Each structure stands twice: as structure tokens, then as C-alpha cells.
């Protein structure tokens, strides 16, 4: 028995020594990177990470970045990127140690990292042990991950603040709950800077050939300014930065029976506020048009979210709502009774995707816009695959006088390449 205790003690001592050595190596790697930016929030983290990296890279600063959203990417100083390998495909915050180690080999001026933690305790560990950011970003507070960070949005705000750098600086575009963020920042001796989206002009936004928001650009500009990068240089770097695979895009298709279709994949913005904001901006930019049709993809493990998507339908005021996935009743019951549009239930967990797509397209008029909301997994994924197989709208089929000639326009702040969503 004494022998077993000795073995156990030896193993524990070995693990302790290995842990201390690993922590010291990690600390040395962090010290080798003078500026570390940690991007946290609910929506737009991946895009902001890329914008910040682009702004710094454009000024000549050696910058490494890593995103976590739609598809985790390690972005080299020359803006080339590669997928982040995950054993068994499982994400774990410990992977940040390897990312920091790899980034340190470039001896970079800056490292921009997207926060990958959801649980409040892990968010704190991610900041205090793994990244120790010098500049924090808290992009927004939205209605998501309420089970882990909620139940209220005030709770979500305080949870996100666990990633604020103590004695550092944090940039945010969150206006409604700014007082809460300020209170938490003061408790951490952290300077909180508000990045006003209204300071970004429409002309500056037109420089992007992919869809983004003024809030995201304002945050990246504020981060660049903190590091002494002038506005024009930062914007040039952001324009040249490659977009995230999950960037919002609008596709133009021709259905087999000759109908014209504009399709917007808004699955990534799967909280109500972001969903409405995305669709309204697409309408304002004329990227999609009325008559508008909406697809809600339902999941059995997201019943509450299904209902949230149904409840926001009057704000979008589409001509038709298509329900796919399962259980569609969770979304149908939440659609307010005062909304008088059409509801078409095409759901069912065993519904054939080909037949579903054919039936849905049959309900559309000769020239329609279709928006997909909710959560992508399940029938949503199959539906996107079927749409992607449709023929693109030929250039000679554009609207009379349409300067895009059937293609999406850079002035519309979105691109025409097929996008994926997280």
C-alpha cells in the first residue's frame, strides 16, 4: 500500500512540475507579444477579429490572428490562413496555448484572438491565464447563450466582462448596457472606450466588397487608433483583409422553372435582434427586395429559439413564412395572431430535402427574395445544399438599368460568393 501511495505522490508531483513548466513557457510566449487583443461579445467576433488584424497589418505591424466562429482559422502575418486542427473536432480553450506558442514564433507586434469561451468561468480563465490581453474588445450584448450566461441580458453583460483586461483598456460598441460595462470596467481598473458607429461614414463602408456593419468597423478603427495607426491606413488594411467564411452574403439564382431568386443566408445571426438588424440593412441596401419570404429552420433542441424567430415575423413583414425542420409548431405558435401573411409548414424530421426545396420554390413568384433564419443545423443545411445547386442568375437577366448586371455590387456592402455561417 505504501508503494502505491508513493507512486501516486510521484505522479502528482510530476504533473505539478509539468504544469509549472508549461505555464512558464506560455508566460514567456505572451511576453514576446507586446500587444494582445482579445475579442469577445455575442455577434460579429470573427469579423471584428479580421478587421482589427487587417487594420494593424495594413500599417506594417506584424500581426497574427485567430478566429473561432464559422470555421476556426489561424491567420498568418501575410494574411494567408489555414484551419485550426482540433482533435476529434472538439473545441477546447486549451488550444489557445498552442496558438500563442505558434504566434510567438513570428515575433509579432500584435496578436488578435477571438474569445472561444462561453461559460463565465472559462471566459475569465481565457483572459487571466491564456491570453492576458492588453486591449479587450466587447463588441455587443445580445440575447444568446442565456443558459450559460443569463438568464437576463444584464447577466450576459456582466458575464462577458469577465474577459476585460485588468489595468488595461477595452473597446465596445454596446450602447444600451454601457453603464453596466462601465461599472465592471471600473472594478477592474480598465479604461472603457465607446466606439461610436455613427463616426463611420457610408462612403467608408462602401470600400468593403463584403457585408459588414458600422459597429464592427468603428471598433477596429478604435483599436487601431490605440496603437497609433491613422484612420486612412487602418481602413485600407481592413478593405484588403479577407472576409470570414461566415460573412453575410446574398446569392442570385434561377430556379428550374425560370424564376428569379435573391437568397440571403442569415442563419449566423441566430438571435432575434441580430436577425432583424441584418435583414433590415439588406432591404435598405436593396440587396434583397420585396416581395420578401422567410424560411425558419426549427430544431428540437432549440425550441425557445424557434419561438423567438416566429415572434419577430411581424417586424419583417414577409409575404410568406416557410417552416422547415422540427418541431415547426414551436415557431408557428409564436407568430403573433395580428400578422396576416401566409404560413407554409414544410417541416418534419424525415422530410426529403429535394422534395422540400421543390415545394418551397413552387410557392415563390417570378421575382422574389428569400431569407433563411433560425439555426442552420438539420434541414437548414440540406436546404442550403439544394439551393447552391441551382443555376446562378445570368448577367443578361439583370434588372433594366441595374448597374450590377446580375451580380452583387461592392457598393451594397456584401459579396456574391457563396458564404457559410457559424
Amino acid at each position: 500500500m505504501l508503494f502505491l501511495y508513493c507512486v501516486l505522490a510521484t505522479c502528482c508531483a510530476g504533473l505539478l512540475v509539468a504544469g509549472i513548466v508549461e505555464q512558464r513557457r506560455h508566460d514567456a510566449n505572451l511576453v514576446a507579444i507586446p500587444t494582445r487583443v482579445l475579442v469577445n461579445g455575442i455577434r460579429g467576433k470573427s469579423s471584428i477579429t479580421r478587421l482589427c488584424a487587417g487594420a494593424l497589418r495594413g500599417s506594417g505591424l506584424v500581426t497574427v490572428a485567430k478566429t473561432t466562429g464559422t470555421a476556426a482559422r489561424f491567420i498568418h502575418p501575410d494574411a494567408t490562413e489555414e484551419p485550426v486542427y482540433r482533435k476529434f473536432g472538439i473545441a477546447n480553450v486549451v488550444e489557445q496555448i498552442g496558438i500563442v506558442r505558434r504566434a510567438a514564433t513570428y515575433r509579432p507586434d500584435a496578436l488578435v484572438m477571438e474569445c472561444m469561451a462561453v461559460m463565465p468561468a472559462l471566459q475569465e480563465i481565457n483572459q487571466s491565464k491564456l491570453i492576458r490581453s492588453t486591449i479587450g474588445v466587447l463588441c455587443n450584448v445580445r440575447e444568446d447563450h442565456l443558459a450559460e450566461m443569463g438568464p437576463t441580458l444584464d447577466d450576459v453583460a456582466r458575464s462577458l466582462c469577465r474577459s476585460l483586461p485588468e489595468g488595461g483598456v477595452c473597446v465596445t460598441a454596446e450602447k444600451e448596457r454601457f453603464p453596466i460595462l462601465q461599472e465592471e470596467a471600473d472594478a477592474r481598473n480598465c479604461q472603457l472606450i465607446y466606439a461610436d458607429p455613427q463616426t463611420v461614414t457610408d462612403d467608408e463602408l462602401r470600400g468593403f466588397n463584403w457585408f459588414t456593419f458600422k459597429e464592427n468597423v468603428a471598433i477596429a478603427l478604435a483599436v487601431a487608433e490605440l496603437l497609433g495607426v491613422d484612420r486612412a491606413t487602418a481602413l485600407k488594411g481592413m478593405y484588403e483583409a479577407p472576409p470570414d467564411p461566415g460573412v453575410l452574403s446574398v446569392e442570385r439564382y434561377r430556379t428550374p422553372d425560370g424564376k428569379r431568386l435573391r437568397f440571403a443566408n442569415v442563419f449566423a445571426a441566430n438571435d432575434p435582434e441580430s436577425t432583424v438588424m441584418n435583414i433590415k440593412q439588406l432591404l435598405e441596401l436593396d440587396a434583397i427586395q420585396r416581395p420578401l419570404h422567410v424560411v425558419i429552420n426549427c430544431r428540437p433542441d432549440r425550441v425557445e429559439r424557434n419561438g423567438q424567430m416566429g415572434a419577430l415575423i411581424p417586424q419583417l413583414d414577409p409575404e410568406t413564412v416557410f417552416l422547415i425542420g422540427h418541431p415547426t409548431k414551436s415557431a408557428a405558435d409564436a407568430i403573433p395572431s395580428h400578422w396576416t401573411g401566409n404560413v407554409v409548414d414544410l417541416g418534419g424530421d424525415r422530410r426529403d430535402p429535394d422534395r422540400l426545396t421543390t415545394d418551397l420554390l413552387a410557392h415563390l413568384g417570378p421575382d422574389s427574395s428569400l431569407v433563411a433564419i433560425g439555426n442552420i443545423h438539420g434541414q437548414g443545411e440540406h436546404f442550403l445544399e439544394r439551393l447552391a445547386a441551382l443555376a446562378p442568375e445570368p448577367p443578361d437577366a439583370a434588372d433594366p438599368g441595374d448597374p450590377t448586371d446580375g451580380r452583387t455590387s461592392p457598393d451594397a456592402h456584401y459579396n456574391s460568393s457563396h458564404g457559410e455561417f457559424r
Side-chain angles (χ1 to χ4, degrees):
M1 184 64 70
L2 179 61
F3 172 75
L4 293 178
Y5 279 124
C6 291
V7 171
L8 178 62
T10 301
C11 289
C12 290
L15 289 173
L16 177 62
V17 172
I20 293 174
V21 171
E22 179 68 19
Q23 184 65 57
R24 288 188 174 180
R25 286 177 178 172
H26 182 64
D27 290 343
N29 289 331
L30 289 174
V31 170
I33 306 172
T35 299
R36 300 177 297 278
V37 183
L38 180 61
V39 181
N40 199 7
I42 298 299
R43 288 287 169 265
K45 295 191 296 294
S46 295
S47 292
I48 292 173
T49 298
R50 288 174 177 272
L51 289 173
C52 289
L56 302 183
R57 191 167 52 238
S59 70
L61 295 174
V62 178
T63 306
V64 179
K66 184 247 183 178
T67 65
T68 300
T70 303
R73 294 286 190 270
F74 182 88
I75 305 173
H76 301 271
D78 62 355
T80 60
E81 57 187 71
E82 60 185 86
V84 175
Y85 172 74
R86 287 169 171 166
K87 195 172 183 178
F88 305 117
I90 300 175
N92 191 306
V93 293
V94 176
E95 75 182 37
Q96 306 287 58
I97 296 175
I99 297 297
V100 171
R101 179 172 60 246
R102 190 176 180 187
T105 61
Y106 285 105
R107 298 191 178 277
D109 298 302
L111 170 64
V112 186
M113 297 274 279
E114 177 183 352
C115 181
M116 61 181 300
V118 175
M119 299 297 293
L122 289 180
Q123 291 190 45
E124 189 165 346
I125 290 173
N126 188 62
Q127 161 59 24
S128 62
K129 296 293 185 181
L130 302 181
I131 308 300
R132 294 216 304 272
S133 64
T134 56
I135 299 176
V137 169
L138 203 165
C139 49
N140 49 47
V141 179
R142 300 280 171 79
E143 194 173 349
D144 200 9
H145 302 299
L146 297 181
E148 296 86 0
M149 295 189 283
T152 70
L153 283 174
D154 287 355
D155 294 325
V156 173
R158 296 187 185 281
S159 177
L160 293 171
C161 285
R162 293 199 178 202
S163 66
L164 297 182
E166 292 195 13
V169 59
C170 179
V171 178
T172 184
E174 173 61 37
K175 186 175 183 179
E176 185 175 348
R177 285 171 175 77
F178 187 86
I180 294 177
L181 304 187
Q182 185 67 69
E183 180 184 335
E184 294 292 329
D186 291 342
R188 294 168 173 79
N189 191 30
C190 177
Q191 179 188 1
L192 188 63
I193 297 175
Y194 177 67
D196 188 355
Q198 299 307 314
T199 60
V200 180
T201 68
D202 291 339
D203 285 341
E204 288 173 334
L205 206 60
R206 290 190 183 98
F208 293 93
N209 63 356
W210 43 280
F211 188 95
T212 190
F213 293 97
K214 288 185 177 182
E215 288 84 354
N216 297 352
V217 177
I219 287 173
L221 286 172
V223 170
E225 184 179 0
L226 287 171
L227 296 175
V229 182
D230 66 89
R231 190 180 188 89
T233 301
L235 283 169
K236 185 176 183 297
M238 285 190 273
Y239 294 154
E240 297 173 352
D244 190 69
V247 68
L248 179 61
S249 65
V250 175
E251 310 294 336
R252 294 190 182 189
Y253 296 117
R254 277 283 190 177
T255 66
D257 55 355
K259 297 176 181 177
R260 298 169 61 187
L261 173 65
R262 296 189 185 197
F263 174 70
N265 180 343
V266 193
F267 279 135
N270 58 7
D271 70 88
E273 183 179 350
S274 298
T275 298
V276 173
M277 183 173 67
N278 274 279
I279 296 174
K280 286 188 174 180
Q281 286 212 25
L282 289 176
L283 286 168
E284 291 171 0
L285 295 169
D286 204 32
I288 57 176
Q289 301 171 339
R290 297 188 184 276
L292 179 66
H293 307 269
V294 172
V295 178
I296 302 178
N297 184 49
C298 302
R299 288 178 55 184
D301 58 340
R302 296 288 189 274
V303 173
E304 182 180 3
R305 177 58 45 78
N306 303 340
Q308 290 174 337
M309 294 296 113
L312 61 78
I313 289 300
Q315 299 180 58
L316 305 178
D317 194 24
E319 184 174 289
T320 309
V321 174
F322 298 98
L323 304 177
I324 66 175
H326 175 77
T328 54
K329 189 176 185 297
S330 57
D333 288 350
I335 298 177
S337 58
H338 62 80
W339 182 73
T340 57
N342 300 318
V343 177
V344 179
D345 193 338
L346 299 173
D349 51 355
R350 299 182 184 276
R351 185 71 187 272
D352 177 65
D354 292 313
R355 184 63 183 173
L356 180 150
T357 304
T358 300
D359 290 347
L360 190 152
L361 295 177
H363 282 84
L364 301 179
D367 193 350
S368 304
S369 292
L370 182 66
V371 175
I373 67 175
N375 194 290
I376 189 173
H377 297 294
Q379 278 191 348
E381 293 172 308
H382 298 307
F383 177 62
L384 292 184
E385 290 174 2
R386 271 57 180 185
L387 281 187
L390 294 177
E393 183 181 0
D396 59 359
D399 296 329
D402 183 354
T404 66
D405 292 328
R407 301 180 301 275
T408 50
S409 165
D411 289 345
H413 316 160
Y414 63 92
N415 73 14
S416 57
S417 60
H418 182 64
E420 302 170 33
F421 280 73
R422 58 194 168 100

